Amino acid sequence: MLNRQAASLLSELLIMVFHIFLVMLLSGVGSSSVLNSTSLEDQLFQYIDDHQEKFVQTLEEWVAVESDSIQPAQRSKVIQMVEKAKLRLQALGANVTLVNLSVQQVLDGRNISLPPVILAELGEDPLKPTVCFYGHVDVMPAKKSDGWETDPYVLTDIGGNLYGRGATDNKGPVLAWIHAVSAFKELRKDLPVNLKFLIEGMEEAISIGLKELVEREKEQFFSNIDYIVISDNTWLSKEKPALTYGTRGNAGFSVEVQGGERDLHSGALGGIVQEPMSDLIALLDSLVDSSGHILIPGIYDDVDDFTEEEKKLYEPIEFDIEQYKVDVGVKKFLYDTKEEILSHLWRFPSLSIHGIEGAFHEKGIKTVIPSRVIGKFSIRQVPHMNLSTVECQVKQYLEKEFSKRNSPNKLTVYAEEGASPWITNISDPQYKAAAKAIKRVFKKDPDMIRDGSTIPIAQMLQDITKKSVMMFPIGAADDGEHSQKEKISRKNYINGTKVFSSFLLEISKLHKELLRGSK
């Protein structure tokens, strides 16, 4: 009799515990302790799928703001865009500060206000890692008359691609981060990391004033961050995700050749004067040979050795040379193999000639000898080339080449504002966490790539904060940033939101493991 009563009591107790557990599960109370991270991921992904129309609508609203930072007349639109981003972050519960910068002097001599920079903080749990995301909400100029098939400020879905200025550079990725965080909030799940946001409105205009702000905030806003993530570039492939661990720098130069006081008639004086244009063409031709090799002595001295270990990173990269030719619109590259092409695009310097100021360029022919011409070229630097050293090498070489011509004309070589290359360690924890997140969402391992272009913010943040920086793109190779066909695919926009949410979980786990290991 007692055994039956005990059994009945135990049965009732188990039923009661089950009911309590079920109520907690359905209400979300205590769910963080009874659900593992994988099931939480599934919930986050489902929420993101269920709200993708809303996410696309928000991107449409952001693209509609003509936040062109290049043209001063659009400055109010940039400020409006910063305000929109601020409101989104405040809706997440972030503590947002708008930091006013100095003024910008524009070409007509006026001083206009720079847009404020957003510094936002969400969470301050000392037991969690702190991740800082950098993004920008300004865009390059765009007009339909430039060759757009659609209005650049009306987000247009064509075959699953969302076309519009800023869709991939950088409004789409910024929103993907915000949506990833909102998924945790709306599901009432604890954010696994502390988050900080650094969002500016002058990236396309060389981030005027940002470096000074980061230096001022080094011991404040940036003092307790563990990782910095930038999502402002694209994959190498149209389909396979990538993580970027290096970019080239850039050193721009102008070469001015000054002849007489005024332009001359080629019929009256051609053949008896040393023409500035001839001097300039000869100098420009002396910079690089037909194989792309830079002829300036010493320019390769500080380039890192191309090790066998680094070459192995190229082996798994998906890269279709013939398709790349089609995408770029050329018939032949200077090199024939994947390793040669990618290494000369990423980890060797290149020199490009961009144009000549002072030359006649309209239709027809103008029989004039220009008195003053300026050639423009740049060198994409790589680790560990030094910007000052490169400037000296260029000036010395051009002056030597010019002296060989015995020209009576005057040569002036001056360097434009430059940017340093950036490289980081792919063994850093956040690269491992991001790779796991990509595998989870896209079902494939990412390509580990470098970028041939220049993204100054990466090196600047790494130099000043001394923190680990990672570039984590979600845009595909054909997104056409800055072009008349800029877009982000709907798939990448939504999956990018998922992969960012997964990354936050993964970096939290890895960081805890590192802390346990250090103890």
Side-chain angles (χ1 to χ4, degrees), residues 46 54 61 63 99 129 134 150 169 252 275 294 306 313 323 333 340 385 418 434 512 519:
Q46 187 61 56
K54 180 180 177 183
E61 293 168 1
V63 166
V99 181
Y134 163 85
T150 60
D169 183 19
E275 300 187 11
I294 302 172
F306 195 14
L313 293 173
Q323 183 59 49
F333 292 126
E340 288 176 319
M385 295 170 71
K512 289 176 183 176
K519 292 177 181 179

PDB file of all heavy atoms in Angstrom, residues 46 54 61 63 99 129 134 150 169 252 275 294 306 313 323 333 340 385 418 434 512 519:
ATOM      1  N   GLN A  46      15.390  31.247 -37.336  1.00  0.00           N
ATOM      2  CA  GLN A  46      13.962  31.240 -37.687  1.00  0.00           C
ATOM      3  C   GLN A  46      13.377  32.642 -37.565  1.00  0.00           C
ATOM      4  O   GLN A  46      12.595  33.079 -38.423  1.00  0.00           O
ATOM      5  CB  GLN A  46      13.205  30.273 -36.779  1.00  0.00           C
ATOM      6  CG  GLN A  46      11.737  30.068 -37.187  1.00  0.00           C
ATOM      7  CD  GLN A  46      11.618  29.478 -38.574  1.00  0.00           C
ATOM      8  OE1 GLN A  46      12.175  28.413 -38.863  1.00  0.00           O
ATOM      9  NE2 GLN A  46      10.907  30.158 -39.469  1.00  0.00           N
ATOM     10  N   LYS A  54      10.629  42.653 -43.313  1.00  0.00           N
ATOM     11  CA  LYS A  54      10.826  43.860 -42.516  1.00  0.00           C
ATOM     12  C   LYS A  54      12.265  44.373 -42.659  1.00  0.00           C
ATOM     13  O   LYS A  54      12.506  45.579 -42.761  1.00  0.00           O
ATOM     14  CB  LYS A  54      10.509  43.567 -41.048  1.00  0.00           C
ATOM     15  CG  LYS A  54      10.674  44.751 -40.113  1.00  0.00           C
ATOM     16  CD  LYS A  54      10.345  44.342 -38.686  1.00  0.00           C
ATOM     17  CE  LYS A  54      10.577  45.507 -37.711  1.00  0.00           C
ATOM     18  NZ  LYS A  54      10.314  45.087 -36.301  1.00  0.00           N
ATOM     19  N   GLU A  61      14.440  51.914 -46.749  1.00  0.00           N
ATOM     20  CA  GLU A  61      14.357  53.238 -46.130  1.00  0.00           C
ATOM     21  C   GLU A  61      15.742  53.891 -46.025  1.00  0.00           C
ATOM     22  O   GLU A  61      15.888  55.093 -46.236  1.00  0.00           O
ATOM     23  CB  GLU A  61      13.726  53.107 -44.733  1.00  0.00           C
ATOM     24  CG  GLU A  61      12.264  52.672 -44.770  1.00  0.00           C
ATOM     25  CD  GLU A  61      11.757  52.282 -43.390  1.00  0.00           C
ATOM     26  OE1 GLU A  61      12.546  52.364 -42.420  1.00  0.00           O
ATOM     27  OE2 GLU A  61      10.577  51.871 -43.285  1.00  0.00           O
ATOM     28  N   VAL A  63      18.470  53.185 -47.953  1.00  0.00           N
ATOM     29  CA  VAL A  63      18.990  53.487 -49.291  1.00  0.00           C
ATOM     30  C   VAL A  63      18.360  54.770 -49.836  1.00  0.00           C
ATOM     31  O   VAL A  63      18.992  55.524 -50.588  1.00  0.00           O
ATOM     32  CB  VAL A  63      18.742  52.295 -50.245  1.00  0.00           C
ATOM     33  CG1 VAL A  63      18.950  52.700 -51.707  1.00  0.00           C
ATOM     34  CG2 VAL A  63      19.673  51.132 -49.885  1.00  0.00           C
ATOM     35  N   VAL A  99      29.270  62.047 -31.345  1.00  0.00           N
ATOM     36  CA  VAL A  99      30.468  62.852 -31.104  1.00  0.00           C
ATOM     37  C   VAL A  99      30.663  63.817 -32.268  1.00  0.00           C
ATOM     38  O   VAL A  99      30.849  63.390 -33.418  1.00  0.00           O
ATOM     39  CB  VAL A  99      31.716  61.968 -30.951  1.00  0.00           C
ATOM     40  CG1 VAL A  99      32.940  62.831 -30.665  1.00  0.00           C
ATOM     41  CG2 VAL A  99      31.509  60.940 -29.848  1.00  0.00           C
ATOM     42  N   PRO A 129      33.157  38.738 -23.508  1.00  0.00           N
ATOM     43  CA  PRO A 129      34.060  39.488 -24.388  1.00  0.00           C
ATOM     44  C   PRO A 129      33.344  40.719 -24.939  1.00  0.00           C
ATOM     45  O   PRO A 129      32.111  40.756 -25.022  1.00  0.00           O
ATOM     46  CB  PRO A 129      34.368  38.493 -25.512  1.00  0.00           C
ATOM     47  CG  PRO A 129      33.174  37.596 -25.558  1.00  0.00           C
ATOM     48  CD  PRO A 129      32.713  37.469 -24.126  1.00  0.00           C
ATOM     49  N   TYR A 134      32.690  48.190 -36.614  1.00  0.00           N
ATOM     50  CA  TYR A 134      32.830  49.447 -37.360  1.00  0.00           C
ATOM     51  C   TYR A 134      32.033  49.373 -38.663  1.00  0.00           C
ATOM     52  O   TYR A 134      32.088  48.372 -39.386  1.00  0.00           O
ATOM     53  CB  TYR A 134      34.291  49.737 -37.721  1.00  0.00           C
ATOM     54  CG  TYR A 134      34.401  50.787 -38.820  1.00  0.00           C
ATOM     55  CD1 TYR A 134      34.373  52.144 -38.523  1.00  0.00           C
ATOM     56  CD2 TYR A 134      34.467  50.406 -40.167  1.00  0.00           C
ATOM     57  CE1 TYR A 134      34.420  53.102 -39.527  1.00  0.00           C
ATOM     58  CE2 TYR A 134      34.517  51.361 -41.174  1.00  0.00           C
ATOM     59  CZ  TYR A 134      34.483  52.704 -40.856  1.00  0.00           C
ATOM     60  OH  TYR A 134      34.509  53.646 -41.856  1.00  0.00           O
ATOM     61  N   THR A 150      18.188  51.605 -62.821  1.00  0.00           N
ATOM     62  CA  THR A 150      17.133  51.918 -61.857  1.00  0.00           C
ATOM     63  C   THR A 150      17.525  53.170 -61.097  1.00  0.00           C
ATOM     64  O   THR A 150      18.679  53.617 -61.160  1.00  0.00           O
ATOM     65  CB  THR A 150      16.939  50.762 -60.854  1.00  0.00           C
ATOM     66  OG1 THR A 150      18.178  50.549 -60.138  1.00  0.00           O
ATOM     67  CG2 THR A 150      16.554  49.470 -61.573  1.00  0.00           C
ATOM     68  N   ASP A 169      27.595  48.695 -49.766  1.00  0.00           N
ATOM     69  CA  ASP A 169      28.671  49.543 -49.258  1.00  0.00           C
ATOM     70  C   ASP A 169      28.085  50.815 -48.656  1.00  0.00           C
ATOM     71  O   ASP A 169      28.005  51.831 -49.309  1.00  0.00           O
ATOM     72  CB  ASP A 169      29.631  49.872 -50.407  1.00  0.00           C
ATOM     73  CG  ASP A 169      30.838  50.694 -49.962  1.00  0.00           C
ATOM     74  OD1 ASP A 169      31.133  50.703 -48.747  1.00  0.00           O
ATOM     75  OD2 ASP A 169      31.457  51.328 -50.827  1.00  0.00           O
ATOM     76  N   GLY A 252      49.686  57.895 -53.469  1.00  0.00           N
ATOM     77  CA  GLY A 252      49.387  58.621 -54.697  1.00  0.00           C
ATOM     78  C   GLY A 252      50.432  59.687 -54.985  1.00  0.00           C
ATOM     79  O   GLY A 252      50.962  60.323 -54.062  1.00  0.00           O
ATOM     80  N   GLU A 275      59.125  69.896 -75.198  1.00  0.00           N
ATOM     81  CA  GLU A 275      57.718  69.923 -74.803  1.00  0.00           C
ATOM     82  C   GLU A 275      57.512  69.227 -73.452  1.00  0.00           C
ATOM     83  O   GLU A 275      57.954  68.087 -73.256  1.00  0.00           O
ATOM     84  CB  GLU A 275      56.853  69.268 -75.873  1.00  0.00           C
ATOM     85  CG  GLU A 275      56.955  69.961 -77.217  1.00  0.00           C
ATOM     86  CD  GLU A 275      55.970  69.430 -78.246  1.00  0.00           C
ATOM     87  OE1 GLU A 275      55.054  68.661 -77.847  1.00  0.00           O
ATOM     88  OE2 GLU A 275      56.108  69.791 -79.423  1.00  0.00           O
ATOM     89  N   ILE A 294      57.419  46.940 -61.353  1.00  0.00           N
ATOM     90  CA  ILE A 294      57.759  48.330 -61.068  1.00  0.00           C
ATOM     91  C   ILE A 294      59.279  48.511 -61.201  1.00  0.00           C
ATOM     92  O   ILE A 294      60.061  47.733 -60.651  1.00  0.00           O
ATOM     93  CB  ILE A 294      57.294  48.726 -59.656  1.00  0.00           C
ATOM     94  CG1 ILE A 294      55.771  48.524 -59.527  1.00  0.00           C
ATOM     95  CG2 ILE A 294      57.628  50.187 -59.362  1.00  0.00           C
ATOM     96  CD1 ILE A 294      55.242  48.709 -58.122  1.00  0.00           C
ATOM     97  N   PHE A 306      57.376  35.605 -49.896  1.00  0.00           N
ATOM     98  CA  PHE A 306      56.210  34.783 -50.205  1.00  0.00           C
ATOM     99  C   PHE A 306      56.539  33.347 -49.788  1.00  0.00           C
ATOM    100  O   PHE A 306      57.132  32.578 -50.522  1.00  0.00           O
ATOM    101  CB  PHE A 306      55.897  34.863 -51.699  1.00  0.00           C
ATOM    102  CG  PHE A 306      54.528  34.359 -52.094  1.00  0.00           C
ATOM    103  CD1 PHE A 306      53.535  34.124 -51.155  1.00  0.00           C
ATOM    104  CD2 PHE A 306      54.230  34.126 -53.429  1.00  0.00           C
ATOM    105  CE1 PHE A 306      52.292  33.673 -51.522  1.00  0.00           C
ATOM    106  CE2 PHE A 306      52.980  33.677 -53.815  1.00  0.00           C
ATOM    107  CZ  PHE A 306      52.015  33.454 -52.862  1.00  0.00           C
ATOM    108  N   LEU A 313      47.768  28.729 -48.322  1.00  0.00           N
ATOM    109  CA  LEU A 313      46.465  29.364 -48.105  1.00  0.00           C
ATOM    110  C   LEU A 313      45.722  29.587 -49.419  1.00  0.00           C
ATOM    111  O   LEU A 313      44.496  29.709 -49.432  1.00  0.00           O
ATOM    112  CB  LEU A 313      46.644  30.706 -47.389  1.00  0.00           C
ATOM    113  CG  LEU A 313      47.156  30.675 -45.951  1.00  0.00           C
ATOM    114  CD1 LEU A 313      47.426  32.094 -45.456  1.00  0.00           C
ATOM    115  CD2 LEU A 313      46.148  29.984 -45.041  1.00  0.00           C
ATOM    116  N   GLN A 323      36.266  32.898 -65.800  1.00  0.00           N
ATOM    117  CA  GLN A 323      35.076  33.657 -65.402  1.00  0.00           C
ATOM    118  C   GLN A 323      35.471  35.036 -64.887  1.00  0.00           C
ATOM    119  O   GLN A 323      34.772  36.029 -65.120  1.00  0.00           O
ATOM    120  CB  GLN A 323      34.289  32.895 -64.333  1.00  0.00           C
ATOM    121  CG  GLN A 323      32.994  33.579 -63.904  1.00  0.00           C
ATOM    122  CD  GLN A 323      32.032  33.791 -65.048  1.00  0.00           C
ATOM    123  OE1 GLN A 323      31.750  32.873 -65.821  1.00  0.00           O
ATOM    124  NE2 GLN A 323      31.522  35.012 -65.182  1.00  0.00           N
ATOM    125  N   PHE A 333      45.109  38.299 -68.591  1.00  0.00           N
ATOM    126  CA  PHE A 333      45.792  38.864 -67.441  1.00  0.00           C
ATOM    127  C   PHE A 333      47.305  38.818 -67.671  1.00  0.00           C
ATOM    128  O   PHE A 333      47.783  38.120 -68.577  1.00  0.00           O
ATOM    129  CB  PHE A 333      45.453  38.097 -66.165  1.00  0.00           C
ATOM    130  CG  PHE A 333      44.026  38.256 -65.709  1.00  0.00           C
ATOM    131  CD1 PHE A 333      43.217  37.154 -65.478  1.00  0.00           C
ATOM    132  CD2 PHE A 333      43.486  39.519 -65.508  1.00  0.00           C
ATOM    133  CE1 PHE A 333      41.906  37.300 -65.056  1.00  0.00           C
ATOM    134  CE2 PHE A 333      42.173  39.677 -65.088  1.00  0.00           C
ATOM    135  CZ  PHE A 333      41.385  38.560 -64.862  1.00  0.00           C
ATOM    136  N   GLU A 340      49.669  33.068 -59.086  1.00  0.00           N
ATOM    137  CA  GLU A 340      50.322  34.267 -59.608  1.00  0.00           C
ATOM    138  C   GLU A 340      49.370  35.458 -59.629  1.00  0.00           C
ATOM    139  O   GLU A 340      49.724  36.577 -59.229  1.00  0.00           O
ATOM    140  CB  GLU A 340      50.828  34.008 -61.035  1.00  0.00           C
ATOM    141  CG  GLU A 340      52.024  33.083 -61.122  1.00  0.00           C
ATOM    142  CD  GLU A 340      52.389  32.796 -62.559  1.00  0.00           C
ATOM    143  OE1 GLU A 340      51.485  32.593 -63.393  1.00  0.00           O
ATOM    144  OE2 GLU A 340      53.599  32.771 -62.867  1.00  0.00           O
ATOM    145  N   MET A 385      56.092  47.517 -46.553  1.00  0.00           N
ATOM    146  CA  MET A 385      56.586  48.716 -47.221  1.00  0.00           C
ATOM    147  C   MET A 385      56.244  49.934 -46.368  1.00  0.00           C
ATOM    148  O   MET A 385      55.155  50.016 -45.800  1.00  0.00           O
ATOM    149  CB  MET A 385      55.973  48.847 -48.612  1.00  0.00           C
ATOM    150  CG  MET A 385      56.386  47.746 -49.574  1.00  0.00           C
ATOM    151  SD  MET A 385      55.420  47.766 -51.112  1.00  0.00           S
ATOM    152  CE  MET A 385      56.063  49.248 -51.897  1.00  0.00           C
ATOM    153  N   GLY A 418      48.498  59.377 -48.359  1.00  0.00           N
ATOM    154  CA  GLY A 418      48.576  57.936 -48.549  1.00  0.00           C
ATOM    155  C   GLY A 418      47.959  57.157 -47.400  1.00  0.00           C
ATOM    156  O   GLY A 418      47.561  57.719 -46.380  1.00  0.00           O
ATOM    157  N   ALA A 434      34.403  33.221 -36.578  1.00  0.00           N
ATOM    158  CA  ALA A 434      33.714  33.607 -37.815  1.00  0.00           C
ATOM    159  C   ALA A 434      33.673  32.436 -38.798  1.00  0.00           C
ATOM    160  O   ALA A 434      32.665  32.234 -39.488  1.00  0.00           O
ATOM    161  CB  ALA A 434      34.410  34.808 -38.447  1.00  0.00           C
ATOM    162  N   LYS A 512      35.474  32.249 -23.694  1.00  0.00           N
ATOM    163  CA  LYS A 512      35.406  31.564 -22.393  1.00  0.00           C
ATOM    164  C   LYS A 512      36.421  30.436 -22.309  1.00  0.00           C
ATOM    165  O   LYS A 512      37.073  30.232 -21.271  1.00  0.00           O
ATOM    166  CB  LYS A 512      33.995  31.023 -22.166  1.00  0.00           C
ATOM    167  CG  LYS A 512      32.955  32.101 -21.893  1.00  0.00           C
ATOM    168  CD  LYS A 512      31.568  31.501 -21.773  1.00  0.00           C
ATOM    169  CE  LYS A 512      30.512  32.591 -21.563  1.00  0.00           C
ATOM    170  NZ  LYS A 512      29.138  32.030 -21.544  1.00  0.00           N
ATOM    171  N   LYS A 519      43.776  30.217 -17.122  1.00  0.00           N
ATOM    172  CA  LYS A 519      43.797  30.004 -15.680  1.00  0.00           C
ATOM    173  C   LYS A 519      44.440  28.668 -15.329  1.00  0.00           C
ATOM    174  O   LYS A 519      44.912  28.468 -14.231  1.00  0.00           O
ATOM    175  CB  LYS A 519      42.374  30.064 -15.121  1.00  0.00           C
ATOM    176  CG  LYS A 519      41.756  31.459 -15.191  1.00  0.00           C
ATOM    177  CD  LYS A 519      40.329  31.457 -14.695  1.00  0.00           C
ATOM    178  CE  LYS A 519      39.702  32.847 -14.789  1.00  0.00           C
ATOM    179  NZ  LYS A 519      38.290  32.849 -14.333  1.00  0.00           N
TER     180      LYS A 519
END
